[in-house]
Amino acid sequence: MSLRESDLKQEPACTINRLGNYLWSDLPDENKWADCVHCGMCLESCPTYEQTGQEQHSPRGRVHLIKSVAEGKLEVNEAFADPVFACLDCRACTTACPADVDVGGLIEEARGQIRQALPLTGWKGAVSRFFLEGVFPHPNRLHLLSSLLKFYQKSGLQKVARKTRLINIMPKHLVEMEAILPKVKQPVRKKYKHAGVIKAKGETRRTVALLTGCVMDVMFSDINEATINVLTRNGNDVIIPQNQTCCGALHVHAGDRETGRKLAKQNIEAFKDVDRVIVNAAGCGCMLKEYPELFREDPKWREKAEKFSSKVEDISKYLHDTGYEKPKAEIKTRITYHDACHLAHGQGVRQEPRDILLSIPGVEMVHMPNADRCCGSAGIYNITHPEMAEAVLQSKMQNVPEDVEIISMGNPGCMLQMAMGVLKYGRNQKIVHTVQLLDWAYQKEDSLKEVK
Ligand code: SF4
Ligand code: SF4
């Protein structure tokens, strides 16, 4: 479908500053493609190029397409949207690129233009609006979702739905997701609603704030709990600002940069009185660090976003850099580590989580080839592009060593996707967040002390 200005469903917000066939506000950044010399050194790093062998599904091809629209050679239409939205936004290409071309950033900016020109309609638009606008930005609705999931699991409904195969009326990939649903517990944001400051165990060395996240707090509140435990154990008072909200990563990945900006502003305000914002979800941490990119056309908020982003730290890097207590109890296990894209490629955090895991007595680390290759989760990519996500997951699982008991990582989306991989490919590994294992070691140490 070719798109002309007269076909646009809404009036372009910005026609004065148009850039080629980009007609909308928040134009893509020309500087981001200026350094691409078409060398192709990014090609092998790209999971979608590996699967398709097509130039348009490679980083170099995508940069070329995005630039061609800016030069007026291509239009913003479905043919352009397809390769742009098929990108996993995994950032492996930026790591591989000798010129540091920010392909992921360009992809997000191009998606912003596409979604303004071609808003999602029909059931896709309705589902997208329901979750992105109706659920994620509202903590009370997230907590309601958590309660519903808990009821579903505890009341016996889940057993009945599975036994009677009633579950199979849902689309195949949702049935698969239901199968790996973790045991839902009370979100920590709700649990500590009136707690004020959660005090350090022993002397207070620092005060930090925790981003509780959406998926993390609904599906994996035990990881948030483990994060609070390891922080307080290491001399941190922990604050959970109640006016914090969703980081906006899912919105920005989907091209809804306007909602992304609204959420960013709310978080910048919510965390303005703290020096350190700790994040245990790689995707959220990367988004928070990239808030300044959302305000390229707004100098006042850009300055605030830069100040905020400089305070954001991944939990494993924070513990590593501030000197955490090395656990003394032994956890005898063989593990492997998967680099979440938005931790390794997005934030350059690779060695710190490995060091933490290796500091636990009894842990034996088995190398995973291509550990920093995407697992196919990529936010909601496994829902929007199930076939490509499945192919990427299959390739990932081939690299998971057979003889390990645990696959460790630092991102909830990857945890769900890897759990799916374990189930689908008949493996039996546990999926564990880095701080969970550290917390288990501390707990074991404490329980051994009590026995003595
Ligand atoms: S994005 Fe980087 S690695 Fe890829 S073609 Fe351009 S300059 Fe080369
Ligand atoms: S972000 Fe990932 S999927 Fe997208 S072009 Fe780069 S390597 Fe390929």
Side-chain angles (χ1 to χ4, degrees), residues 35-43 59-60 63 93 96-99 101 103:
D35 292 332
C36 178
V37 291
H38 311 285
C39 64
M41 287 180 73
C42 51
L43 296 185
R60 182 176 64 185
V63 171
C93 45
C97 174
V101 173
V103 184

Side-chain angles (χ1 to χ4, degrees), residues 14 17 24-28 292-299 302:
C14 152
N17 294 328
W24 302 83
S25 62
D26 196 5
L27 293 169
E293 286 292 313
L294 292 173
F295 298 105
R296 286 192 305 110
E297 295 173 359
D298 183 342
R302 186 174 171 101

Side-chain angles (χ1 to χ4, degrees), residues 240-302:
I240 300 180
Q242 287 296 314
N243 48 346
Q244 65 177 289
T245 186
C246 169
C247 69
L250 292 178
H251 306 77
V252 173
H253 292 178
D256 182 3
R257 293 169 70 83
E258 199 45 52
T259 307
R261 267 186 286 276
K262 272 187 209 149
L263 298 172
K265 285 181 179 177
Q266 190 174 331
N267 279 327
I268 291 168
E269 285 298 313
F271 290 95
K272 71 174 187 299
D273 297 327
V274 295
D275 296 330
R276 212 67 95 112
V277 182
I278 303 299
V279 188
N280 57 13
C284 304
C286 193
M287 185 69 245
L288 298 188
K289 285 186 176 181
E290 291 177 356
Y291 275 177
E293 286 292 313
L294 292 173
F295 298 105
R296 286 192 305 110
E297 295 173 359
D298 183 342
K300 187 179 137 224
W301 273 99
R302 186 174 171 101

Side-chain angles (χ1 to χ4, degrees), residues 42-50 56-63 83-84 86-94 96 103-105 107 111 341 345 373-374 381:
C42 51
L43 296 185
E44 282 189 13
S45 69
C46 178
T48 54
Y49 182 70
E50 181 189 32
Q56 62 163 346
H57 288 298
S58 77
R60 182 176 64 185
R62 289 179 173 123
V63 171
V84 170
C87 169
L88 292 145
D89 201 4
C90 70
R91 317 290 176 95
C93 45
T94 299
V103 184
I107 291 284
R111 286 178 182 177
C341 299
H345 303 299
R373 195 80 162 174
C374 185
Y381 190 93

Side-chain angles (χ1 to χ4, degrees), residues 58-108:
S58 77
R60 182 176 64 185
R62 289 179 173 123
V63 171
H64 179 71
L65 291 173
I66 292 168
K67 186 178 167 200
S68 297
V69 175
E71 290 169 346
K73 295 175 188 164
L74 289 178
E75 292 181 357
V76 177
N77 55 22
E78 295 293 346
F80 173 61
D82 178 47
V84 170
F85 275 93
C87 169
L88 292 145
D89 201 4
C90 70
R91 317 290 176 95
C93 45
T94 299
T95 300
C97 174
D100 284 336
V101 173
D102 180 7
V103 184
L106 270 179
I107 291 284
E108 288 173 359

Side-chain angles (χ1 to χ4, degrees), residues 130-421:
F130 175 74
F131 282 105
L132 295 184
E133 291 169 32
V135 178
F136 286 111
H138 306 282
N140 290 341
R141 294 179 198 170
L142 277 171
H143 293 166
L144 176 66
L145 177 66
S146 158
S147 302
L148 289 173
L149 286 172
K150 215 159 80 180
F151 175 75
Y152 171 69
Q153 290 178 330
K154 284 200 158 175
S155 65
L157 258 180
Q158 185 176 44
K159 272 189 195 151
V160 174
R162 286 180 179 180
K163 216 172 177 179
T164 57
R165 298 179 194 266
L166 202 66
I167 200 89
N168 294 341
I169 56 170
M170 295 200 299
K172 184 173 162 258
H173 54 278
L174 290 184
V175 177
E176 289 169 353
M177 286 183 76
E178 194 277 343
I180 47 113
L181 203 62
K183 212 171 236 172
V184 176
K185 296 186 186 140
Q186 187 186 29
V188 301
R189 185 159 163 196
K190 196 172 176 187
K191 180 176 170 186
Y192 293 105
K193 191 169 180 183
H194 304 294
V197 178
I198 307 165
K199 294 300 286 178
K201 292 167 192 145
E203 191 192 335
T204 298
R205 288 194 280 145
R206 293 177 191 84
T207 301
V208 299
L210 178 68
L211 181 97
T212 50
C214 305
V215 176
M216 192 58 112
D217 216 24
V218 169
M219 303 267 199
F220 298 106
S221 64
D222 49 346
I223 296 174
N224 274 344
E225 194 76 59
T227 306
I228 294 168
N229 290 346
V230 299
L231 284 168
T232 52
R233 172 120 187 172
N234 285 287
N236 296 282
D237 282 354
V238 179
I239 300 168
I240 300 180
Q242 287 296 314
N243 48 346
Q244 65 177 289
T245 186
C246 169
C247 69
L250 292 178
H251 306 77
V252 173
H253 292 178
D256 182 3
R257 293 169 70 83
E258 199 45 52
T259 307
R261 267 186 286 276
K262 272 187 209 149
L263 298 172
K265 285 181 179 177
Q266 190 174 331
N267 279 327
I268 291 168
E269 285 298 313
F271 290 95
K272 71 174 187 299
D273 297 327
V274 295
D275 296 330
R276 212 67 95 112
V277 182
I278 303 299
V279 188
N280 57 13
C284 304
C286 193
M287 185 69 245
L288 298 188
K289 285 186 176 181
E290 291 177 356
Y291 275 177
E293 286 292 313
L294 292 173
F295 298 105
R296 286 192 305 110
E297 295 173 359
D298 183 342
K300 187 179 137 224
W301 273 99
R302 186 174 171 101
E303 198 185 325
K304 288 186 185 193
E306 277 168 358
K307 190 174 169 208
F308 167 81
S309 296
S310 68
K311 301 191 285 193
V312 176
E313 196 80 276
D314 177 73
I315 178 70
S316 61
K317 181 154 170 53
Y318 176 72
L319 290 170
H320 191 271
D321 291 356
T322 52
Y324 66 101
E325 179 194 325
K326 306 284 182 299
K328 294 170 199 73
E330 190 177 69
I331 296 193
K332 228 174 155 27
T333 185
R334 279 166 73 80
I335 71 174
T336 193
Y337 180 77
H338 156 69
D339 286 286
C341 299
H342 287 89
L343 201 50
H345 303 299
Q347 300 179 59
V349 177
R350 292 168 181 267
Q351 196 51 44
E352 294 86 346
R354 289 179 167 86
D355 285 349
I356 289 174
L357 293 168
L358 280 168
S359 73
I360 302 169
V363 164
E364 191 186 336
M365 180 84 83
V366 181
H367 171 69
M368 181 195 294
N370 293 322
D372 64 355
R373 195 80 162 174
C374 185
C375 63
S377 166
I380 52 166
Y381 190 93
N382 49 5
I383 299 172
T384 56
H385 294 77
E387 283 170 17
M388 180 63 81
E390 168 60 34
V392 174
L393 176 63
Q394 186 177 16
S395 159
K396 182 83 207 177
M397 291 309 293
Q398 282 163 0
N399 283 319
V400 174
E402 292 279 353
D403 56 346
V404 294
E405 293 158 321
I406 287 175
I407 313 171
S408 181
M409 62 205 75
N411 191 47
C414 303
M415 293 183 76
L416 290 170
Q417 181 78 344
M418 294 298 279
M420 180 96 79

